[in-house]
Amino acid sequence: MLESMIDHFRHSQETVSELQAKTAKSVSRATAIRRGRRLTGGEMQQIVNDLMACSEPGLGIDGRPCSWLLSNEEIQSRMRRNNA
């Protein structure tokens, strides 16, 4: 895998920052926690801490929103709509 990545980098016309971003995305996907795996409380807290330390914690590696901060009022409003 590494040899393939290095070969790609050698022959690529992309900028260093574009290559760094692609590499980071690739590594993130490869090392992601798989769906269905149960996490401990400490692991969950660490994920939240790591997310909040990011420069853009609300966006996933694909640029789409991955988290939202909701006020208590928003949560209550959404729960009322779902129960109506």
Side-chain angles (χ1 to χ4, degrees):
M1 180 175 94
L2 287 175
E3 287 178 1
S4 174
M5 288 173 60
I6 291 169
D7 190 50
H8 173 76
F9 294 154
R10 283 189 184 135
H11 303 310
S12 176
Q13 298 297 316
E14 296 171 305
T15 65
V16 171
S17 62
E18 290 171 330
L19 291 172
Q20 287 174 331
K22 281 188 173 182
T23 301
K25 288 178 183 181
S26 177
V27 170
S28 296
R29 284 190 182 105
T31 60
I33 297 168
R34 300 294 175 228
R35 181 176 291 195
R37 179 174 173 262
R38 289 188 175 263
L39 302 176
T40 66
E43 289 172 320
M44 288 186 267
Q45 186 60 53
Q46 187 61 51
I47 290 172
V48 171
N49 293 344
D50 291 346
L51 177 64
M52 292 302 136
C54 291
S55 60
E56 296 188 59
L59 298 178
I61 61 172
D62 57 3
R64 294 185 306 180
C66 66
S67 65
W68 299 263
L69 293 175
L70 302 174
S71 68
N72 285 338
E73 291 79 22
E74 288 175 285
I75 294 170
Q76 290 174 350
S77 173
R78 290 172 187 238
M79 293 178 84
R80 278 193 291 274
R81 272 188 285 168
N82 290 338
N83 290 332

